[in-house]
Structure formats: C-alpha cells, structure tokens
C-alpha cells in the first residue's frame, strides 16, 4: 500500500539540497548530451605516461567546463549498466547482480522520464547488441523513446576492434543521427573502445604503452588516449553541425578499468603502495558538465554518480523537490560532501572509510575510527532505503502530483 515509503520520503525530504539560484535553469531548453566514457578513471586526467599526455583533449575541455575532481563511481557488478542506473534514478544499484536484469519491470522516475515530460526526445546510443545488460527491456522502463543500437550504425571489420565499433566512427555516425532528431533531445552515448582487455589497432595508437608486468595496464593508457581523441572529434563534429551551442554536454567515467589484480603495476605507475586508501581514491572517475557561454570551474566537493540526476535537472530549470532521489545537486549550498560506495566504503571531505578502517585524507594513513563513525549510520540507511525501493518496487506507490500538495 505504500506505507513502506513514508520513512524514505521523510529521509529524502530532510536531505533535499535546494538549487543554487544563479544556476537553476541556466540551461533551460538546451539539448542534453550525456557521454558514458568506458572504464575511464580520473587518475589519467592531467597525467602523463612516458612523458606523453594521456588525455590532452579532456585536459583542455575540463577548463571550459564545470569539472568535479572528487567524483566517484558507485557501481557494483552491473558495471556500465549500474552507472546508467545511478544517473537515471539517483538510487544505488544492488550489492549483487545487475539491477538492469533483476528489476527491469519496476516503475522508475528516471531522468529520461522527467525530460520526456518536459518535451525532450529521449534516446540512448550505443553500437552494441540491444539486449546486452538487458538494455532493450530496461530502457523502456526508463522512458527512452529510442535506442540507437548496433543496427543503427554502419559497423564493419575496418571500423571495429576489441568489443566492437570504435569510438571515433561511433561518434561520427551518432552526430549524423542527432542532426535528424527532434529538438530538444536527450541523448545518452556509451563508448566502447576503452574496455578490458584494451585491445587496439596500430593505426589508433597515439602514445606508447606503459612498461610493467601488466599488459592490461600497459595497453590501458593507449586506449584511453584513443577515446580522448574520439571525444575531441565528437566535439568538433557537434560544433560543425551547430548542435554544440544548443546543448549541455555531460561526461562521466562509468567505473574503474584497472582492477586490484593489477596493483603491482599500478603501484609502479603511481610510485606508491596501493593501500585500501589509495584503492578507494582510484575509484574517482572524471565528471564534467559543459554549458555554452559559461566559464569553466573546478569543483572539489566529494560527489558521485548518484548526484548527476538532480544536478542536470536543476540546470534545466526542472524542479526535483518532490522526487524520490538519494543524490544532491552539486551546485547547491546544501550539498553533503559525501560519496557512498555500493560496497559500504565511503568518502567524506576529510576521511575515507575502507577496509573497516578510517583513513585521514591529509596523511593517507589510518586514523581513529571515531572520525568516520558519525557517517556510518547515514551510509547504512541510504543503502538500505535504496535497496528497499528497488526490492519492493516502491516507486509504483509514489505519486508526485500528490506529493506536491
Ligand atoms: C557493453 C558495454 C560494456 O555494451 O556497455 O559493459 P561493461 O562490461 O563495462 O559493463
Ligand atoms: Mn563499462
């Protein structure tokens, strides 16, 4: 009957982050282009390998954007699909399995649904089989009107590598589709080339491999560099087509690319031991929002993928006061400076909770647990509420119109 929702609604109400007056609605009516950048971790940003820049384009583009340098992925076993879930619903994915498979029949109040209500043509673009991660089913529940899948792209042996279509032709052909779209549109594009095991063609190699005992990490730099190049071309093509000026562009890394199996090589690259603290910091992924006509800025609040939905909606001038969401508008003064991982680790302004220990960010060493304790209950409550919503399909009882009254 929905009585299970009462505690959750109260919790969400109490943690509502009021939009920033200056930015609320600044991008009203613009197209929304969201790029899920495969396996891209934040340590490659403004960094080098063999003295060569790994992401020369992104290093430039973040200067023209709002760039969040303390932003974490919050995914579990559902990987890319979990990131999509976080962005759409501002809820956590599940601790086991992929919610895209297990709960695709649930009712959701997704980002796409809110945009569709506001006159947007909502679509996803990804040159893979449409049933991968159960997307064909889940995208319907998430209110995507159209899924441009592998069949909508001209894919052949020449323009494929590793998992499928290369990112450069993918973006080229995606812009062709965008030109035909009804405006304003919301497109989510998912890249593919920088995916484990990070295979690439010689012709797409712009920097040298790293030299360690992990071929995976060695190649990773090369494929990240390739994806960076593809993003550069994408932006150029958006500019040529005139879409750029009418769009906000959001890019986020979906999850880690380099697992803990490569700690020895990673330690060689970073020049330090991979402690549980460092492992947690390695879960930072790039996140940026580009708004035409707005100057760039680095925002260092602690944040995560769960915060994307309210942040975007408020930029578009769409209220989320009555929505059931667990993230916070990152431009709000009320933001909580907290990132909760699906596995229970968390990051605050000054501390990291990992391996059942509390770590001081300034020393990178273990400190007294009492510093992390004030957050523990909140972290557990949030994960618990999110699970309850999903397992109980509770949003079917939620009536936003009633909530408004
Ligand atoms: C597949 C792509 C990769 O379509 O999104 O998924 P991942 O293995 O990263 O979850
Ligand atoms: Mn992925």
């Amino acid at each position: 009957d929905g009585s299970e929702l009462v505690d959750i609604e109260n919790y969400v109400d109490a943690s509502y982050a009021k939009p920033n007056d200056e930015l609320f609605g600044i991008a009203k009516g613009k197209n929304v282009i969201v790029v899920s950048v495969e396996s891209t971790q934040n340590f490659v940003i403004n960094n080098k390998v063999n003295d060569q820049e790994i992401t020369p384009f992104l290093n430039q583009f973040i200067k023209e954007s709002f760039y969040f340098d303390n932003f974490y992925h919050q995914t579990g076993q559902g990987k890319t699909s979990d990131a999509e879930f976080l962005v759409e619903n501002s809820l956590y994915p599940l601790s086991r399995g992929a919610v895209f498979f297990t709960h695709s029949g649930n009712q959701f109040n997704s980002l796409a649904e809110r945009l569709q209500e506001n006159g947007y043509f909502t679509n996803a673009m990804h040159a893979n089989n449409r049933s991968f991660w159960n997307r064909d089913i889940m995208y319907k529940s998430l209110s995507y009107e159209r899924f441009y899948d592998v069949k909508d792209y001209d894919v052949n042996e020449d323009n494929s590598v590793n998992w499928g279509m290369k990112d450069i032709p993918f973006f080229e052909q995606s812009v062709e589709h965008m030109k035909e779209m009804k405006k304003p549109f919301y497109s989510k594009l998912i890249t593919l080339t920088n995916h484990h095991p990070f295979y690439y063609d010689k012709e797409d190699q712009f920097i040298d491999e790293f030299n360690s005992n992990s071929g995976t990490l060695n190649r990773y730099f090369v494929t990240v560099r390739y994806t960076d190049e593809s993003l550069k071309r994408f932006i150029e093509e958006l500019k040529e087509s005139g879409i750029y000026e009418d769009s906000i562009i959001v890019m986020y890394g979906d999850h880690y690319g380099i697992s803990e199996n490569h700690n020895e090589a990673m330690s060689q690259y970073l020049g330090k031991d991979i402690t549980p603290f460092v492992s947690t910091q390695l879960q930072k992924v790039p996140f940026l929002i580009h708004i035409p006509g707005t100057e760039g800025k680095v925002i260092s609040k602690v944040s995560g993928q769960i915060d994307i939905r309210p942040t975007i909606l408020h930029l578009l001038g769409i209220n989320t006061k009555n929505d059931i969401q667990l993230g916070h508008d990152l431009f709000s003064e009320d933001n909580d400076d907290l990132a909760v991982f699906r596995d229970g680790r968390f990051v605050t302004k000054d501390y990291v909770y990992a391996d059942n220990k509390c770590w001081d960010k300034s020393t990178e060493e273990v400190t007294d647990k009492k510093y992390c304790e004030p957050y523990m209950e909140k972290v557990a409550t949030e994960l618990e509420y999110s699970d309850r919503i999903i397992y109980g399909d509770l949003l079917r009882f939620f009536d936003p119109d009633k909530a408004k009254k």
Side-chain angles (χ1 to χ4, degrees):
D1 63 347
S3 58
E4 305 101 296
L5 250 183
V6 175
D7 289 350
I8 299 175
E9 283 187 89
N10 289 339
Y11 178 84
V12 168
D13 262 2
S15 70
Y16 171 69
K18 199 172 132 312
N20 176 314
D21 287 339
E22 270 167 53
L23 290 167
F24 186 83
I26 194 171
K28 197 175 172 60
K30 297 242 182 271
N31 304 313
V32 178
I33 298 174
V34 175
V35 185
S36 172
V37 189
E38 182 57 48
S39 299
T40 303
Q41 291 170 238
N42 201 60
F43 75 90
V44 299
I45 301 291
N46 289 325
N47 213 342
K48 290 182 173 178
V49 67
N50 308 311
D51 224 28
Q52 294 168 304
E53 265 186 296
I54 307 160
T55 58
F57 169 71
L58 282 173
N59 298 347
Q60 178 54 43
F61 198 56
I62 59 180
K63 289 189 198 148
E64 304 162 24
S65 309
F66 291 106
Y67 168 58
F68 299 81
D69 64 352
N70 273 309
F71 180 88
Y72 295 83
H73 84 81
Q74 297 165 301
T75 63
Q77 291 170 346
K79 308 299 294 283
T80 314
S81 70
D82 278 357
E84 295 180 66
F85 185 81
L86 280 145
V87 171
E88 285 297 332
N89 303 304
S90 192
L91 295 173
Y92 294 92
L94 297 176
S95 59
R96 254 175 300 162
V99 57
F100 262 45
F101 274 112
T102 58
H103 293 82
S104 59
N106 275 20
Q107 185 145 327
F108 296 107
N109 298 318
S110 66
L111 174 63
E113 183 179 315
R114 302 288 266 120
L115 292 179
Q116 190 180 33
E117 286 164 9
N118 282 274
Y120 279 76
F121 168 57
T122 60
N123 62 91
M125 315 182 91
H126 182 47
N128 198 358
N129 189 308
R130 65 192 293 112
S131 62
F132 199 96
W133 282 130
N134 205 34
R135 284 181 175 115
D136 52 341
I137 310 293
M138 186 57 155
Y139 281 179
K140 292 197 177 109
S141 300
L142 294 177
S143 302
Y144 284 102
E145 285 165 64
R146 174 85 154 86
F147 178 12
Y148 297 85
D149 69 0
V150 66
K151 292 211 178 85
D152 292 286
Y153 290 84
D154 178 12
V155 187
N156 53 54
E157 225 168 88
D158 284 345
N159 69 12
S160 300
V161 74
N162 198 15
W163 276 51
M165 191 180 201
K166 296 181 188 181
D167 295 342
I168 290 177
F170 164 65
F171 280 124
E172 244 167 44
Q173 294 184 30
S174 296
V175 173
E176 291 308 310
H177 287 310
M178 284 177 179
K179 287 181 186 164
E180 307 301 321
M181 286 178 194
K182 181 172 130 323
K183 313 284 184 313
F185 62 77
Y186 163 43
S187 290
K188 182 191 47 202
L189 299 90
I190 305 173
T191 73
L192 198 53
T193 307
N194 184 46
H195 192 291
H196 188 269
F198 312 109
Y199 292 147
Y200 59 89
D201 287 334
K202 267 275 156 238
E203 70 203 46
D204 300 319
Q205 179 175 13
F206 303 111
I207 55 173
D208 299 327
E209 288 193 6
F210 185 53
N211 183 12
S212 73
N213 70 1
S214 163
T216 299
L217 181 63
N218 298 347
R219 289 188 300 277
Y220 180 71
F221 294 101
V222 177
T223 52
V224 169
R225 175 66 185 81
Y226 171 81
T227 293
D228 181 76
E229 189 68 23
S230 76
L231 292 169
K232 177 181 159 193
R233 309 263 186 105
F234 179 46
I235 297 300
E236 284 167 3
E237 285 146 12
L238 287 175
K239 284 181 178 166
E240 279 160 26
S241 66
I243 295 170
Y244 185 79
E245 284 303 318
D246 285 327
S247 308
I248 65 164
I249 297 165
V250 178
M251 297 182 185
Y252 69 88
D254 62 351
H255 50 75
Y256 67 79
I258 303 300
S259 74
E260 298 198 0
N261 299 331
H262 307 276
N263 273 359
E264 196 184 322
M266 191 57 112
S267 162
Q268 181 192 332
Y269 176 71
L270 296 176
K272 59 177 170 186
D273 285 347
I274 311 296
T275 61
F277 173 84
V278 174
S279 270
T280 304
Q281 294 307 84
L282 282 169
Q283 306 314 309
K284 283 185 196 176
V285 292
F287 175 49
L288 66 84
I289 303 175
H290 181 273
I291 306 173
T294 305
E295 265 177 52
K297 191 175 173 194
V298 178
I299 299 178
S300 298
K301 272 178 205 171
V302 176
S303 52
Q305 290 162 331
I306 205 157
D307 301 315
I308 295 180
R309 180 191 190 278
T311 305
I312 294 181
L313 285 171
H314 289 173
L315 288 173
L316 300 174
I318 300 170
N319 221 313
T320 67
K321 177 87 183 87
N322 301 309
D323 293 5
I324 303 274
Q325 56 185 2
L326 294 170
H328 301 95
D329 178 348
L330 296 176
F331 296 111
S332 169
E333 304 286 328
D334 310 335
N335 191 271
D336 66 348
D337 244 321
L338 176 71
V340 177
F341 291 18
R342 182 56 260 195
D343 61 12
R345 281 182 282 174
F346 60 83
V347 181
T348 75
K349 192 162 154 292
D350 300 313
Y351 303 100
V352 165
Y353 186 72
D355 196 26
N356 298 312
K357 297 181 186 78
C358 194
W359 305 72
D360 186 325
K361 277 181 168 175
S362 60
T363 61
E364 308 200 356
E365 300 289 345
V366 173
T367 184
D368 197 320
K369 223 172 176 168
K370 73 174 184 211
Y371 296 112
C372 287
E373 263 156 15
Y375 302 92
M376 286 185 185
E377 200 186 304
K378 181 180 164 64
V379 167
T381 303
E382 261 197 50
L383 291 170
E384 154 93 32
Y385 282 170
S386 184
D387 285 351
R388 272 203 233 163
I389 292 171
I390 296 167
Y391 288 124
D393 189 10
L394 296 187
L395 294 179
R396 78 199 135 112
F397 301 119
F398 177 66
D399 177 358
D401 296 324
K402 200 175 113 210
K404 256 172 233 161
K405 283 167 203 159

